[in-house]
Amino acid sequence: MNIVDRSYLEFLQPLDHIQAAPPAFLWVEKLSVQLFGNNEYALRLFPLISGIISLIAFYKLGQWALSPIALPIALLLFACLRYPIYYTTEVKQYSSDVMVALLLSLLLISLRGQILGKGRALLLGVIGAVAVWFSHPAIFVLGGIEAVHLITAAPEKRKAILLNRWPSYLLWFASFGILYILLTSKVAANQVLRQQWGKEYPGSVFDIVWLLDSFGRFFYRPMGFRQINDGIAYFAFVIGCIVFYKTNRAKFLILISPTAATLIATYLHKYPFRGRLILFLTPFFILIIAEGIAWLLSQWHRKKVFAILGIVLAVTLLLPPTMRAADLIVNPERKEETRSVFEYIKSHKKPGDLIYSDRLNQFNYYGKMYFGFSDADAVPTFQDFWNPLGFSQQSWEDFKRKANLPSQQRVWFVFTALTPPEEAQVKPRLDQIGQELEYFKQPGSFTYLYELK
């Protein structure tokens, strides 16, 4: 609803519903809706295009970074792993984060060590300045890779590169500073987000346990290795790091630099190193994992035991995501079928029935846009429903009076994206306030019809 309801200029203000996204991403989404209509396909178009471009860019980066054996391994992983696929279908910026990271990497690598003309230096500055408005973590890719280029440059050339590119760097950080003052600082000041992110930060610079745990979690999500395979992927990554460090230290530093820059921000408590926020780092990790597996496979004529280990790693890491991706062609994943739930309510709703949605933005989009419901059909949010201490018969009666809900009122309660423990709490709590009349469930979403006491 942020995209549908706001003007282009209003995207420079913090979003509703405790959400955050880069302004340029939102501008593209708004344009897509205006060009192709207010529907899910228009909203999901840019993430999908970003995923397709990312695949091509990843192939190009792999050609630069990897040995011939490693390239197909890397491509298969990148094309089939769970979360890189999933976020190309969701109306979020994380797919375009990956695209921007890959395109910036290719650009900076192609210019490594070059003294640029004024026009090209200005163009580099403009591209970087625009990129940070499309992707929050773009600054980590720009700063990380360019810092490595300067560090690894010959001493006599380093000063020349700095003098040549300082206007580009100035544009990058000026653009980032303007965005931070206008928007990012306000988002970071949101108390709800601060509470959510606070537990994701290390306790101190010396918090090694947090660092090891964060890297371990990274292989599960956002990379998408499941169960024991996340540990196996971690092992392959370590081997890849050793191989790169010994064979081409500059490439290794370039590939690891966006992660290092992100970790610096995390230790400064400015950017969480968790989940989808660091999806943009997955291509770099996949390249290193693939090189580690490829090196083991290449040892067949030297140490067969290493080659056999490489075969085991390759099969273990490649087979599950490949099989799952193939299955998705026939059986697409259905994660939150909220639209189907509202469609069911529309076809079974009687005059006078009301609707309670634990996510009001989904009622506003699906309920209003697709099925013609209005604010008169909606029940306000009961803030204490999920509060184990605040939920009681008395708190519900107080809420009923404020919301003008009469006894025997029929209400459709809609819930989405609950964890199993949360879902198990719903019916017992609803039973305290009314009598169940109907139940309908779809993947990730369900509704109960209750007659209130």
Side-chain angles (χ1 to χ4, degrees):
M1 296 306 295
N2 281 300
I3 295 168
V4 174
D5 292 341
R6 292 190 176 214
S7 68
Y8 286 92
L9 192 59
E10 287 173 329
F11 289 135
L12 296 177
Q13 301 170 9
L15 301 179
D16 300 325
H17 312 299
I18 319 174
Q19 294 181 335
F25 168 82
L26 297 170
W27 291 333
V28 173
E29 287 290 319
K30 182 73 174 182
L31 179 62
S32 181
V33 168
Q34 291 177 334
L35 290 175
F36 305 112
N38 185 10
N39 57 75
E40 290 179 88
Y41 294 109
L43 288 167
R44 298 179 198 273
L45 180 60
F46 182 52
L48 176 61
I49 292 174
S50 297
I52 295 170
I53 294 174
S54 295
L55 192 59
I56 299 168
F58 182 80
Y59 172 70
K60 292 292 185 183
L61 186 61
Q63 284 183 313
W64 168 81
L66 300 177
S67 61
I69 300 176
L71 184 56
I73 297 172
L75 282 172
L76 200 57
L77 284 173
F78 186 68
C80 295
L81 281 173
R82 179 185 183 93
Y83 295 111
I85 292 178
Y86 171 73
Y87 284 109
T88 63
T89 67
E90 190 173 69
V91 190
K92 297 287 186 182
Q93 68 270 27
Y94 307 110
S95 175
S96 51
D97 281 349
V98 174
M99 177 188 70
V100 170
L102 287 167
L103 292 178
L104 288 177
S105 300
L106 288 172
L107 174 65
L108 295 175
I109 289 167
S110 69
L111 299 176
R112 184 186 178 204
Q114 294 184 28
I115 301 298
L116 306 178
K118 291 182 180 179
R120 293 179 73 196
L122 177 62
L123 181 60
L124 176 62
V126 170
I127 290 173
V130 171
V132 298
W133 287 70
F134 270 96
S135 170
H136 288 141
I139 194 68
F140 303 139
V141 180
L142 290 167
I145 293 180
E146 197 63 12
V148 169
H149 287 172
L150 291 172
I151 292 169
T152 57
E156 62 275 9
K157 199 172 184 180
R158 189 176 300 136
K159 183 177 180 180
I161 294 173
L162 271 172
L163 291 173
N164 175 247
R165 298 193 185 185
W166 73 263
S168 303
Y169 303 156
L170 183 62
L171 279 174
W172 295 353
F173 291 106
S175 177
F176 175 77
I178 292 170
L179 178 62
Y180 186 84
I181 292 169
L182 283 177
L183 187 59
T184 311
S185 61
K186 297 174 184 176
V187 173
N190 183 288
Q191 289 302 315
V192 176
L193 289 177
R194 287 174 69 90
Q195 289 176 3
Q196 290 177 353
W197 292 347
K199 58 187 178 183
E200 310 296 352
Y201 294 127
S204 70
V205 177
F206 306 102
D207 195 345
I208 304 300
V209 173
W210 175 90
L211 183 63
L212 294 175
D213 178 64
S214 296
F215 264 86
R217 289 170 181 260
F218 180 86
F219 288 90
Y220 172 72
R221 186 167 188 171
M223 292 202 71
F225 291 106
R226 312 297 292 272
Q227 299 173 344
I228 193 174
N229 280 9
D230 59 353
I232 295 172
Y234 204 152
F235 175 66
F237 173 77
V238 172
I239 294 174
C241 288
I242 296 170
V243 172
F244 266 115
Y245 188 80
K246 287 186 174 182
T247 58
N248 195 319
R249 199 165 298 176
K251 280 186 180 180
F252 172 67
L253 292 175
I254 289 169
L255 292 176
I256 210 70
S257 62
T259 303
T262 307
L263 283 171
I264 291 172
T266 302
Y267 272 95
L268 293 173
H269 290 205
K270 298 298 182 183
Y271 194 88
F273 195 86
R274 279 290 191 273
R276 59 192 181 181
L277 294 174
I278 49 175
L279 185 74
F280 75 100
L281 296 175
T282 57
F284 306 106
F285 276 68
I286 289 171
L287 292 172
I288 296 173
I289 289 170
E291 193 62 44
I293 295 172
W295 181 83
L296 290 172
L297 293 174
S298 69
Q299 301 303 302
W300 185 260
H301 297 294
R302 298 178 184 176
K303 294 184 179 180
K304 282 187 171 56
V305 66
F306 283 0
I308 293 171
L309 178 60
I311 293 171
V312 172
L313 290 183
V315 172
T316 304
L317 296 181
L318 292 173
L319 192 58
T322 304
M323 291 178 63
R324 181 182 178 277
D327 182 64
L328 287 175
I329 298 173
V330 181
N331 303 301
E333 182 177 11
R334 301 171 68 201
K335 188 173 182 182
E336 294 177 11
E337 294 296 317
T338 311
R339 179 177 172 179
S340 299
V341 169
F342 279 108
E343 184 177 14
Y344 180 86
I345 294 173
K346 178 68 175 178
S347 63
H348 291 75
K349 182 176 179 290
K350 292 183 178 181
D353 285 2
L354 298 178
I355 301 171
Y356 175 96
S357 177
D358 71 327
R359 296 192 177 189
L360 193 57
N361 57 325
Q362 293 191 341
F363 172 82
N364 290 335
Y365 186 76
Y366 291 111
K368 290 182 178 179
M369 301 281 306
Y370 283 88
F371 303 109
F373 298 136
S374 67
D375 289 334
D377 297 306
V379 176
T381 302
F382 178 38
Q383 299 292 345
D384 284 334
F385 189 88
W386 294 112
N387 184 350
L389 299 178
F391 183 86
S392 66
Q393 192 70 37
Q394 184 59 49
S395 65
W396 171 253
E397 292 299 327
D398 293 341
F399 171 77
K400 273 180 63 179
R401 283 193 295 272
K402 292 177 182 177
N404 294 318
L405 291 175
S407 298
Q408 299 183 319
Q409 171 68 54
R410 286 165 46 106
V411 179
W412 295 87
F413 290 88
V414 181
F415 296 90
T416 301
L418 300 185
T419 64
E422 288 173 337
E423 187 170 339
Q425 295 178 44
V426 171
K427 190 177 186 306
R429 294 195 176 186
L430 292 179
D431 285 342
Q432 295 181 47
I433 63 176
Q435 180 180 355
E436 179 187 347
L437 301 178
E438 204 165 334
Y439 172 69
F440 178 73
K441 181 176 177 61
Q442 290 286 284
S445 186
F446 61 92
T447 183
Y448 281 102
L449 172 61
Y450 267 73
E451 183 180 280
L452 301 183
K453 293 178 180 179

